[in-house]
Amino acid sequence: MPYPPPSRHPSGPRRRTLLASVAGAALLVGCTSRPDESDGVTSGSPSLAEKARARAARDSEDLVGRYDAVLAAHPVLAPVVGPLRAESLRHAAAFGPGPSAGSPTPSGTPTGGTASPSASASPSASVSVPANERDALTELAAAERALADRRAKALLDVPGELARLLASVAAAGAVHAYLLTEGAK
């Protein structure tokens, strides 16, 4: 015996259809660049994306300086801190100086080149490092976490590829913070 038809027919689209449509629209909006930022340059001044890219490169260089300061004060932490420092250098290189390829980064190395450990030693002179190794790792973790949070917020204001790069590096920073926290235990 077949089931009788429902007594009441929905008068509009179903809830699932609406939710799927809203989610799809949000994804499409998030994946497209804004028309005013598509060319990357606005009337001779640096665009928001260029400024965000330069800021992210500077932040990564500053973080490398923190790692250098910790390594100088606590060489025994090299197995934990060294690989994370190398990743931060890669992050700085990924952001690069932006459209003027070949110009020096804040550490003085041109893009495309790899920074040597001494290239970013100048920022480490101004960074104070706790005498306790555990506290030094905790401070590094806090710096990584704060930078990851700033990058996660900044990715909402930049177009496509830069937003994806910021998201990826922010996620890596969160993992670095976790690894540093675990290393402090």
Side-chain angles (χ1 to χ4, degrees):
M1 177 162 137
Y3 292 105
S7 61
R8 184 179 143 222
H9 294 296
S11 61
R14 299 190 114 146
R15 186 177 352 171
R16 285 185 189 168
T17 305
L18 284 173
L19 290 174
S21 299
V22 169
L27 284 174
L28 287 175
V29 169
C31 292
T32 59
S33 62
R34 297 181 189 139
D36 60 334
E37 295 174 355
S38 61
D39 62 352
V41 179
T42 55
S43 67
S45 65
S47 72
L48 178 65
E50 291 169 353
K51 289 177 185 176
R53 183 179 293 274
R55 168 77 188 256
R58 237 184 353 265
D59 288 345
S60 290
E61 287 289 333
D62 291 346
L63 192 57
V64 169
R66 284 182 170 274
Y67 278 112
D68 288 342
V70 169
L71 284 170
H74 304 289
V76 72
L77 293 176
V80 174
V81 174
L84 301 178
R85 179 195 179 278
E87 285 298 313
S88 293
L89 274 176
R90 286 187 198 98
H91 296 163
F95 288 115
S100 57
S103 65
T105 60
S107 68
T109 58
T111 35
T114 56
S116 65
S118 63
S120 56
S122 60
S124 65
S126 63
V127 176
S128 66
V129 178
N132 183 345
E133 294 167 359
R134 181 181 220 161
D135 292 341
L137 288 176
T138 301
E139 279 192 11
L140 266 179
E144 281 276 14
R145 198 172 299 110
L147 183 55
D149 290 346
R150 275 198 322 267
R151 285 178 171 161
K153 288 177 187 171
L155 71 90
L156 299 173
D157 299 326
V158 296
E161 285 302 313
L162 182 55
R164 286 185 275 281
L165 180 60
L166 276 172
S168 177
V169 174
V175 171
H176 290 183
Y178 172 78
L179 292 172
L180 288 165
T181 303
E182 288 300 307
K185 287 184 178 178

